[in-house]
Amino acid sequence: MRSVDGGDLWWKSAVFYCADVETFFDSNGDGTGDIRGMSDRVEYLADLGVTCLWLMPFYPTAQKDDGYDIVDFFGVDPRLGNLGDFVELVRTARAAGIRVIVDFVMNHTSDAHPWFKSARRSVDDPYRDYYVWSATEPKSSPKDVVFPDQEDSIWELDPKTNEWYLHHFYKHQPDLNIANPKVQEEISRTLGFWLELGVSGFRIDAVPFLFAKDSVPGEPGAFDPYEYLGDVRNFVTRRVGDAVLLGEVNVAYKDQKKFFGGPDGDGLNMQFDFIGMQNVYLSLARGDARPLAKAMRQRPNLDITSQWANFVRNHDELTLDKLTDAERQEVFDAFGPDPDMQLYDRGLRRRLPTMVGGDERRMRMLYSLAFSMPGSPVLFYGEEIGMGENLDIPGRLAVRSPMQWTGGSNGGFSTAAKRRLTRPMPDGLFGPDRVNVAAQRRDHQSFWWFIRDLVYTYRQQPEIGWSTAEVLKQPHRSVLAHVCREEESGWQMLALHNFGAEGVLVPIELPDAPPGSVLVNLLDGLTEQPLDDSGRAELELGPYGYRWLRLVRPGDDPII
């Protein structure tokens, strides 16, 4: 591929960074992060190598679900700033070479949203059909409930009209009736508004719940949700030709293809690889790479415009719902044996560094793996310094403690009194006095510099994002060996990752490598490893070791 090939499909080789405005940086000393504070840290993100900033919800909210309970899709939470601040953030980021995408919650609103307030007044209200209602109590089983610690049904009786409304999440978040053309029009207006303010796309929250059969009133089959997803894609690209839709879609691989838009790829541009992520943790718990290797072999190939989003950790609980009960228990036992570390019987409310006891060997290996797989890497704020969680914060919010900028008061997040902080800082081994940006930026052996080097190496090899992967056979259960190939240019990169605590010697074979080819170590000073005339070599891999080895054939241009 040539650099010009990726201009319109920038997300194929982007480095995403997810940040929560409320917990990133407080510019005015009130204890809450804000948009101006985010603008103040754009230089930091540019230095790290980030090319796309993903903002978690910053809209006006009822403050019951960390911003996902929205009361106005066209505004900014006044605690965080205003629309002028937002436009300045987008402008500042663009000047630094960083695009901005924003969270868009298409599935539901807050029950304090004016639409729902109006809808519940009467069964004849003009906004009634913006939501999903039933005159009789529908059946609901525990498996339908997303948050079993808070809800026991996805239907709630509204005493004002004596009818039940649908809510796949909390009862204070009624589901929108996406089949209603008026709701579709509102969605288009909202997307168009933020595109006009300069965003480069949207991370679409909880996409599969838009498609739930119980959320569609009227005639079965009257509404085709996949067709509608294609309509959303078409609308967004008409307004901004290179805008991206990144979907939160935690379903089986075979079902993810439908959300991409099938073979034509006219649905979501990107989806998170939840299946791969869950098998990463199972492999880490076992010290056995085979679960991940199996998942990678099952990962479907995508059309040229579509892309996987690879991640080690996101902003929610670390969901393990696609593992079997026994497999999930293995991961719990290894990384979160205390029930307080677990959530909803399906996930962990911990960050990676605390799960592995601060073992940087395993941390570095996993991030190397995430960046080496075909797709675009996504970092969650604080991952670049090895931040831990604060289990004193309830539920999923444990991993959303304030960013740790310095070792000083409040970790440099805010000058407010400690009691006024939007959330408390962790303490102990992972507190800001031990884990912070300032100290690590000064130390070139730190985890921050490791992530920065990884980001820049990934960006220097954009073919990774355009490649397909083949898992190679080799004799060690602890080792994942995969080759990324970009067909048009013939570019190839071999990646090795050892999930075991013992060093190994890994025999590999690249039969299509011509005589005289060498493997160049991209993460170790471009040192060379020769291949024999049959394309074979034996490669050392230390405990939890990792290597990126680019194939260079005779006559290839040198790596710059």
Side-chain angles (χ1 to χ4, degrees):
M1 62 165 288
R2 300 174 302 162
S3 296
V4 295
D5 295 332
D8 293 335
L9 303 176
W10 58 268
W11 57 85
K12 295 276 287 189
S13 52
V15 178
F16 291 81
Y17 188 96
C18 172
D20 185 350
V21 171
E22 185 176 352
T23 57
F24 201 63
F25 183 62
D26 171 18
S27 71
N28 60 6
D30 65 357
T32 299
D34 46 56
I35 293 177
R36 290 189 179 188
M38 184 66 69
S39 296
D40 290 344
R41 290 294 185 257
V42 164
E43 173 277 329
Y44 165 79
L45 297 176
D47 186 25
L48 185 60
V50 170
T51 62
C52 184
L53 171 61
W54 154 27
L55 296 177
M56 292 171 61
F58 52 83
Y59 313 101
T61 169
Q63 298 186 38
K64 294 182 179 179
D65 187 24
D66 199 30
Y68 286 90
D69 51 330
I70 297 169
V71 300
D72 178 7
F73 288 107
F74 297 100
V76 172
D77 185 335
R79 298 176 306 135
L80 310 181
N82 54 46
L83 287 173
D85 296 331
F86 178 82
V87 171
E88 283 300 299
L89 169 60
V90 173
R91 183 196 64 81
T92 303
R94 183 184 294 132
I98 299 174
R99 295 172 182 267
V100 176
I101 66 172
V102 298
D103 244 314
F104 182 60
V105 183
M106 196 186 299
N107 178 73
H108 56 260
T109 69
S110 166
D111 60 2
H113 194 288
W115 296 344
F116 192 71
K117 285 184 173 181
S118 182
R120 69 195 317 181
R121 291 173 185 162
S122 164
V123 295
D124 299 319
D125 187 89
Y127 288 97
R128 187 71 171 184
D129 289 339
Y130 274 43
Y131 299 89
V132 183
W133 298 88
S134 175
T136 58
E137 183 176 7
K139 294 181 180 179
S140 179
S141 67
K143 66 180 179 62
D144 299 325
V145 176
V146 176
F147 301 123
D149 64 329
Q150 299 288 327
E151 307 290 349
D152 56 14
S153 172
I154 61 172
W155 294 92
E156 182 70 14
L157 178 64
D158 180 31
K160 293 185 178 181
T161 57
N162 203 35
E163 288 192 351
W164 283 260
Y165 63 86
L166 180 69
H167 61 92
H168 275 101
F169 294 87
Y170 297 108
K171 62 171 64 75
H172 59 76
Q173 293 170 328
D175 280 19
L176 285 165
N177 176 13
I178 306 299
N180 184 343
K182 292 183 179 179
V183 173
Q184 296 175 19
E185 183 179 350
E186 298 283 4
I187 288 171
S188 295
R189 289 178 62 236
T190 303
L191 296 170
F193 175 82
W194 292 105
L195 289 169
E196 287 298 315
L197 293 187
V199 304
S200 294
F202 304 89
R203 178 262 186 187
I204 309 295
D205 183 60
V207 177
F209 292 98
L210 306 175
F211 294 68
K213 299 298 183 184
D214 54 11
S215 66
V216 183
E219 293 295 323
F223 172 64
D224 184 343
Y226 296 102
E227 181 179 338
Y228 173 63
L229 192 58
D231 292 342
V232 172
R233 162 84 172 266
N234 289 336
F235 173 83
V236 167
T237 53
R238 282 200 309 272
R239 293 294 179 92
V240 177
D242 63 352
V244 69
L245 296 177
L246 167 58
E248 180 190 30
V249 184
N250 181 16
V251 298
Y253 276 143
K254 62 181 177 63
D255 296 321
Q256 285 191 273
K257 285 283 285 186
K258 299 176 184 177
F259 292 93
F260 278 118
D264 296 331
D266 56 3
L268 296 169
N269 305 96
M270 298 183 68
Q271 293 181 51
F272 294 99
D273 185 2
F274 281 95
I275 302 299
M277 178 276 294
Q278 295 183 45
N279 281 281
V280 163
Y281 283 94
L282 180 59
S283 288
L284 190 63
R286 291 178 174 177
D288 183 342
R290 289 180 298 172
L292 178 58
K294 179 180 178 181
M296 287 185 65
R297 291 187 175 106
Q298 294 172 344
R299 196 191 212 198
N301 292 326
L302 306 176
D303 81 289
I304 195 170
T305 68
S306 301
Q307 183 63 302
W308 294 106
N310 299 323
F311 66 105
V312 174
R313 192 67 180 84
N314 68 2
H315 61 291
D316 283 327
E317 76 278 6
L318 181 72
T319 185
L320 304 167
D321 65 320
K322 296 301 183 288
L323 302 181
T324 67
D325 291 346
E327 291 169 341
R328 188 179 310 112
Q329 191 59 51
E330 286 184 68
V331 179
F332 282 171
D333 291 344
F335 304 127
D338 188 331
D340 186 48
M341 300 172 177
Q342 303 165 17
L343 202 60
Y344 314 135
D345 295 323
R346 64 171 184 256
L348 292 166
R349 59 191 204 101
R350 309 192 76 192
R351 286 180 178 251
L352 175 65
T354 58
M355 286 192 270
V356 298
D359 184 353
E360 282 203 16
R361 299 174 305 166
R362 286 188 280 179
M363 291 163 57
R364 293 180 184 226
M365 186 272 290
L366 282 199
Y367 284 98
S368 167
L369 173 65
F371 276 75
S372 74
M373 295 175 66
S376 299
V378 182
L379 291 169
F380 180 48
Y381 78 92
E383 282 188 291
E384 70 272 26
I385 57 172
M387 264 177 58
E389 74 283 346
N390 185 351
L391 293 175
D392 292 335
I393 303 173
R396 298 177 296 162
L397 302 186
V399 300
R400 304 182 200 172
S401 56
M403 183 67 176
Q404 298 170 197
W405 294 104
T406 72
S409 177
N410 298 329
F413 162 71
S414 173
T415 58
K418 186 175 181 180
R419 58 181 173 76
R420 295 185 62 199
L421 296 187
T422 186
R423 288 189 200 114
M425 290 278 182
D427 54 19
L429 293 176
F430 295 92
D433 55 327
R434 295 172 181 251
V435 178
N436 66 76
V437 170
Q440 292 195 27
R441 286 180 91 178
R442 293 192 295 267
D443 176 6
H444 282 243
Q445 304 303 312
S446 70
F447 194 69
W448 187 89
W449 274 96
F450 164 75
I451 293 292
R452 185 183 188 273
D453 289 345
L454 204 58
V455 168
Y456 276 86
T457 304
Y458 171 86
R459 291 181 58 183
Q460 290 163 1
Q461 308 294 321
E463 294 90 348
I464 295 174
W466 292 72
S467 67
T468 56
E470 175 193 0
V471 177
L472 300 183
K473 293 182 179 180
Q474 46 77 40
H476 303 288
R477 291 183 175 184
S478 66
V479 173
L480 177 72
H482 71 275
V483 177
C484 298
R485 294 188 176 93
E486 200 281 307
E487 292 184 6
E488 183 177 339
S489 64
W491 175 95
Q492 293 188 38
M493 186 186 81
L494 168 68
L496 300 174
H497 292 87
N498 184 8
F499 285 78
E502 302 291 334
V504 290
L505 190 64
V506 185
I508 60 96
E509 181 177 0
L510 300 176
D512 54 348
S517 298
V518 297
L519 294 172
V520 178
N521 193 329
L522 299 176
L523 299 179
D524 187 19
L526 301 183
T527 55
E528 294 184 359
Q529 169 74 47
L531 295 169
D532 68 19
D533 288 347
S534 298
R536 293 188 294 254
E538 288 190 327
L539 303 169
E540 291 186 9
L541 204 57
Y544 305 114
Y546 51 89
R547 299 178 79 172
W548 292 17
L549 301 158
R550 178 171 160 180
L551 177 67
V552 177
R553 307 171 184 83
D556 282 355
D557 292 336
I559 299 174
I560 300 175

